[in-house]
């Protein structure tokens, strides 16, 4: 995406990853990943949350981290549009005001509100659920804390 007279167009891809113990019974660790790009990556993030409730909560944390990165970029450049991409349909549906999805608990409702507030200054924001294959870089970043051997 390139700059125009109206500003730049950014893409935010996000993903969360949860690692489970034997027999997939107990979650043992999580990772968050996001990429903000304008044709090429501008900001990437990857980290392991110290605490988490579920894979959905990890997805929300990835989206919030990416939204904060977008907001920081928007302080220094005109952003005309933002295209949010994630492979967690429930998260995308809850954050997109044009969809009927709803965050299930108070924590996720606060995260939805924060994302919407951070994106409010951007004139056009679109949301799309994509396959994991189309979200590969964010997925790779979300899995990085597992593969780096960080404490779980």
């Amino acid at each position: 995406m390139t700059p125009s007279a109206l500003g730049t167009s950014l893409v935010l891809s996000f993903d969360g990853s949860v690692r489970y113990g034997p027999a997939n019974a107990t979650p043992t660790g999580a990772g968050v990943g996001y990429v903000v790009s304008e044709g090429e990556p501008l900001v990437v993030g990857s980290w392991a949350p110290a605490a988490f409730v579920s894979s959905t909560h990890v997805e929300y944390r990835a989206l919030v981290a990416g939204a904060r990165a977008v907001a920081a970029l928007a302080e220094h450049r005109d952003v005309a549009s933002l295209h949010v991409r994630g492979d967690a349909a429930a998260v995308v549906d809850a954050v997109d005001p044009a969809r009927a999805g709803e965050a299930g608990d108070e924590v996720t409702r606060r995260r939805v509100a924060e994302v919407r507030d951070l994106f409010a200054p951007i004139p056009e924001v679109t949301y799309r659920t994509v396959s994991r294959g189309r979200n590969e870089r964010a997925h790779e970043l979300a899995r990085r804390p597992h593969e780096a051997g960080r404490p779980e």
Side-chain angles (χ1 to χ4, degrees):
M1 312 247 166
T2 57
S4 72
L6 301 174
T8 60
S9 181
L10 302 177
V11 175
L12 166 60
S13 299
F14 71 94
D15 198 15
S17 173
V18 176
R19 173 176 273 175
Y20 290 88
N24 284 332
T26 306
T28 60
V32 165
Y34 64 89
V35 180
V36 181
S37 58
E38 181 186 11
E40 296 294 323
L42 299 173
V43 181
V44 298
S46 176
W47 51 278
F52 60 95
V53 176
S54 69
S55 59
T56 301
H57 280 258
V58 174
E59 294 278 355
Y60 276 107
R61 290 182 79 169
L63 176 56
V64 169
R68 289 176 180 164
V70 167
L73 282 172
E75 290 178 7
H76 305 286
R77 62 177 69 200
D78 289 328
V79 177
S81 63
L82 171 66
H83 308 284
V84 180
R85 307 290 181 253
D87 57 29
V91 174
V92 173
D93 288 350
V95 175
D96 184 351
R99 297 188 193 194
E102 187 175 306
D105 59 52
E106 184 57 34
V107 171
T108 55
R109 283 191 291 275
R110 282 196 312 264
R111 290 184 174 146
V112 166
E114 180 178 358
V115 167
R116 289 180 181 175
D117 287 347
L118 289 166
F119 294 162
I122 301 172
E124 178 187 357
V125 181
T126 65
Y127 299 86
R128 181 180 306 158
T129 303
V130 296
S131 68
R132 180 170 286 164
R134 295 204 53 203
N135 202 32
E136 189 60 37
R137 180 66 174 135
H139 180 71
E140 173 190 311
L141 289 164
R143 293 192 47 78
R144 184 178 286 176
H146 304 307
E147 284 129 22
R150 293 187 182 168
E152 300 176 336

